[in-house]
């Protein structure tokens, strides 16, 4: 059994590649099957080599997570069986076998009921390590022997997206079944301390049950094909933050960031705080609108199981942004831009996400940071949908990927059409509650205020100072990218309504139209 390398996908969530690891596990099984089987003539002369698929390992692997020690303690109970049969003239026995384990496994030890078994690393690559297990005495034909192999998976530290992370705040590792060739019956058990929220991928494992120590136990049961079995284990323990405050001047306003990080992750605390503090003044200048939030902004480290979880989550009441433990710079800048682009300023998801990403890329350019931003063109065309439909019930992961990329692309096209200064005027109007159709008093809610603009009001605001050519381009973008079928009918009626509105304003001049 060998390890699978872990990579980070575009949003920073872990993604795994199976090919090399599975190949290494199979090669190790072949190596064991071709391991040394000895023929001993009845007369007792010196043994000579023979080979065949005649030795099997059936295992029960137990992964005990020890967060305070930064490791997973693995115990593999091995039943080694010699399937050969002696003849009248020959005796068959094995002295060793091979087993493949994860590349990062270390601290190997083995014991048995008889003899003095030993274990050593025969070879190691990025995909896995092959262990040479010597039985310490002959495993005779038809015999089985029980061995107990132990090793550790130790957190190596380093990059936040590392595949093996074992800490009091977060656990992430891959567990395998071990065995030989087509031998069935191996099993896997994962034991996680109480208080952790556990998520499993692949596998499968069932559970949890609770043992006498209160630990959560997940189990596979006997497996028909152990060489193909692996499970991704992630677990986090909520709460227990270390908190500190830092501040920055943003457009003449002092903004206080309250940083809440896991106690065992000072690197996240420094990295995220530094980047957010550097980006906020740049974002304020690019957006052209004052810092909109009252009181401190809490930036909290998080672990999320959502597909787009690395993008974090923003809550304006009270101001809180959750940023993933493995957040890349574009995610941090995106989260900072959500200080402006949230439900207080705009209503629709595509507006908030598209322009938060747009200004995040603008800030990155000013700070000379390279970003990996979403690209809707890289998503299957079957995932495309009108942006007004993005985020509704039944939205798929691919459609979410399309929505992030398409909303950014549209934000860029809007900016290219009207210019950054016109966009800044729109955001200032939205923040101040200044409506479109100002001569007529605008559209106001039941309390007499102006609600944050949705897709309709945003188009109105953008067209306030636009030329005829710009207005036509904007309407084409709305029809081609934003509107659903029912929305298109509203756009058709809007043309006639705007024409009638302009005529009425001209006729009423110099009087302003009433708001109701």
């Amino acid at each position: 059994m060998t390890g699978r390398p872990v990579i980070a996908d575009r949003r920073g969530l872990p993604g795994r590649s199976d090919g090399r690891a599975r190949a290494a596990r199979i090669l190790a099984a072949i190596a064991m099957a071709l391991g040394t089987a000895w023929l001993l003539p009845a007369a007792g002369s010196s043994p000579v080599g023979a080979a065949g698929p005649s030795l099997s390992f059936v295992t029960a692997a137990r992964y005990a997570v020890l967060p305070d020690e930064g490791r997973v303690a693995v115990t593999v109970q091995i039943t080694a069986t010699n399937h050969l049969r002696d003849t009248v003239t020959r005796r068959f026995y094995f002295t060793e076998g091979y087993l493949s384990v994860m590349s990062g496994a270390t601290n190997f030890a083995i014991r048995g009921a008889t003899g003095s078994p030993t274990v050593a690393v025969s070879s190691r690559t990025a995909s896995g390590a092959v262990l040479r297990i010597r039985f310490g005495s002959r495993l005779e034909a038809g015999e089985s022997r029980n061995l107990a192999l132990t090793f550790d998976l130790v957190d190596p530290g380093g990059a936040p997206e590392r595949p093996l992370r074992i800490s009091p705040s977060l656990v992430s590792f891959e567990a395998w079944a071990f065995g030989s060739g087509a031998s069935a019956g191996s099993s896997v058990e994962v034991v996680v301390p109480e208080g952790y929220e556990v998520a499993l991928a692949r596998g499968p494992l069932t559970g949890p049950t609770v043992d006498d120590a209160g630990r959560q136990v997940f189990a596979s049961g006997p497996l028909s094909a152990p060489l193909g079995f692996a499970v991704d284990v992630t677990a986090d323990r909520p709460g227990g933050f270390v908190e500190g405050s830092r501040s920055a001047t943003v457009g003449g306003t002092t903004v206080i960031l309250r940083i809440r990080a896991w106690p065992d992750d000072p690197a996240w605390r420094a990295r995220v705080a530094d980047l957010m503090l550097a980006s906020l003044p740049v974002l304020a200048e690019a957006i052209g609108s004052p810092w909109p939030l009252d009181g401190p902004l809490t930036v909290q480290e998080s672990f999320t199981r959502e597909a787009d979880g690395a993008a974090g989550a923003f809550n304006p009441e009270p101001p809180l942004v959750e940023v993933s433990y493995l957040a890349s710079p574009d995610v941090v800048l995106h989260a900072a831009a959500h200080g402006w682009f949230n439900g207080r300023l705009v209503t629709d998801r595509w507006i908030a996400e598209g322009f938060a990403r747009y200004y995040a890329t603008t800030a990155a350019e000013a700070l000379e940071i390279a970003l990996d931003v979403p690209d809707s063109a890289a998503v299957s065309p079957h995932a495309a949908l009108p942006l007004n439909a993005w985020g509704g019930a039944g939205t798929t992961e691919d459609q979410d990927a399309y929505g992030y990329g398409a909303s950014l692309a549209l934000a860029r096209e809007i900016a290219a059409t009207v210019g950054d200064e016109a966009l800044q005027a729109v955001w200032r109007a939205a923040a101040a509650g200044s409506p479109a159709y100002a001569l007529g008093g605008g559209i106001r809610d039941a309390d007499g205020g102006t609600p944050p603009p949705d897709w309709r009001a945003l188009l109105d605001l953008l067209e306030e100072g636009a030329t005829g050519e710009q207005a036509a381009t904007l309407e084409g973008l709305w029809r081609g990218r934003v509107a659903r079928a029912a929305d298109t009918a509203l756009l058709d009626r809007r043309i006639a309504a705007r024409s009638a509105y302009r005529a009425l304003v001209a006729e009423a001049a110099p009087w302003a139209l009433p708001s109701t």
Side-chain angles (χ1 to χ4, degrees):
M1 317 313 120
T2 56
R4 292 179 173 83
V6 175
I7 58 176
D9 68 13
R10 183 171 57 209
R11 297 180 194 157
L13 298 178
R16 284 177 166 81
S17 170
D18 297 336
R20 287 188 299 168
R22 179 171 173 78
R25 295 169 83 172
I26 292 172
L27 287 174
I30 293 172
M32 190 184 76
L34 298 178
T36 308
W38 295 101
L39 305 176
L40 184 60
S45 61
S46 298
V48 296
S54 48
L55 173 67
S56 70
F57 284 172
V58 175
T59 70
R62 184 177 188 270
Y63 295 78
V65 179
L66 304 174
D68 292 335
E69 299 179 25
R71 67 187 178 101
V72 178
V74 185
T75 302
V76 184
Q77 301 292 343
I78 303 171
T79 299
T81 302
N82 180 349
H83 296 279
L84 296 175
R85 291 292 181 266
D86 291 341
T87 69
V88 174
T89 58
R90 295 180 179 178
R91 293 171 54 198
F92 299 87
Y93 63 91
F94 284 90
T95 59
E96 62 186 26
Y98 294 83
L99 192 69
S100 181
V101 298
M102 301 83 163
S103 180
T106 189
N107 300 331
F108 298 104
I110 196 166
R111 65 182 186 276
T114 60
S116 300
T118 62
V119 60
V121 177
S122 175
S123 64
R124 192 189 294 268
T125 69
S127 298
V130 177
L131 304 182
R132 183 181 187 181
I133 297 174
R134 291 181 171 173
F135 302 140
S137 62
R138 297 176 181 177
L139 181 62
E140 302 288 354
E143 285 187 350
S144 293
R145 182 171 303 171
N146 294 325
L147 303 167
L149 169 69
T150 60
F151 61 87
D152 291 328
L153 301 176
V154 179
D155 188 338
E161 68 272 17
R162 62 189 182 272
L164 179 57
R165 181 163 174 160
I166 312 297
S167 70
S169 299
L170 181 69
V171 168
S172 176
F173 69 99
E174 187 180 32
W176 301 348
F178 305 102
S180 55
S183 299
S186 292
S187 63
V188 170
E189 186 177 82
V190 174
V191 182
V192 182
E194 63 179 336
Y196 283 82
E197 295 181 1
V198 181
L200 304 173
R202 296 189 294 169
L205 296 178
T206 60
T209 58
V210 179
D211 67 11
D212 293 341
R215 296 170 297 188
Q216 304 172 75
V217 181
F218 302 83
S220 69
L223 298 166
S224 60
L227 288 187
F229 182 93
V231 59
D232 306 314
V233 181
T234 53
D236 68 309
R237 183 165 58 187
F241 293 103
V242 171
E243 187 171 310
S245 295
R246 295 178 62 180
S247 63
T249 301
V250 182
T253 300
T254 299
V255 175
I256 297 175
L257 296 185
R258 180 179 293 132
I259 309 297
R260 304 185 72 207
W262 296 334
D264 51 353
D265 201 356
W268 180 94
R269 183 164 58 248
R271 175 171 57 88
V272 171
D274 288 349
L275 185 51
M276 290 200 75
L277 290 169
S279 69
L280 289 176
V282 179
L283 287 166
E285 183 177 355
I287 296 167
S289 179
W291 177 249
L293 302 178
D294 299 323
L297 170 62
T298 299
V299 183
Q300 182 170 295
E301 187 170 11
S302 70
F303 169 75
T304 178
R305 295 168 176 85
E306 299 299 324
D308 62 345
F314 188 91
N315 184 352
E317 295 291 349
L320 167 69
V321 60
E322 293 182 283
V323 178
S324 168
Y325 73 97
L326 48 68
S328 56
D330 60 306
V331 168
V332 178
L333 293 174
H334 187 185
H338 272 305
W340 284 266
F341 290 94
N342 54 69
R344 287 181 169 184
L345 185 70
V346 294
T347 300
D348 295 341
R349 182 185 186 188
W350 72 263
I351 304 173
E353 294 298 342
F355 282 101
R357 185 72 69 176
Y358 172 76
Y359 286 108
T361 58
T362 300
E365 291 174 4
L367 297 170
E368 299 183 344
I369 297 172
L371 298 187
D372 179 18
V373 296
D375 180 4
S376 59
V379 181
S380 167
H382 299 293
L385 76 170
L387 286 173
N388 273 356
W390 181 34
T395 302
T396 67
E397 184 175 335
D398 280 347
Q399 287 173 330
D400 269 342
Y402 173 84
Y404 282 109
S407 61
L408 171 58
L410 180 56
R412 286 171 168 166
E413 292 193 56
I414 293 169
T417 299
V418 303
D420 285 334
E421 289 186 7
L423 265 184
Q424 291 177 342
V426 167
W427 308 136
R428 285 193 294 270
S434 300
Y437 310 113
L439 291 175
I443 300 172
R444 300 185 181 277
D445 60 23
D447 297 325
T450 302
D454 63 1
W455 66 281
R456 298 165 297 178
L458 178 60
L459 180 58
D460 292 339
L461 286 169
L462 287 167
E463 289 191 359
E464 280 287 277
T467 66
E469 181 180 355
Q470 289 172 331
T473 299
L474 290 169
E475 184 158 331
L477 292 173
W478 256 242
R479 289 180 180 274
R481 307 283 190 85
V482 175
R484 299 161 293 192
D487 302 331
T488 301
L490 290 176
L491 289 172
D492 292 339
R493 294 200 294 271
R494 176 179 180 271
I495 295 173
R498 283 174 62 85
S499 178
Y501 168 78
R502 285 191 293 268
L504 183 59
V505 168
E507 185 176 346
W511 296 93
L513 300 179
S515 59
T516 57

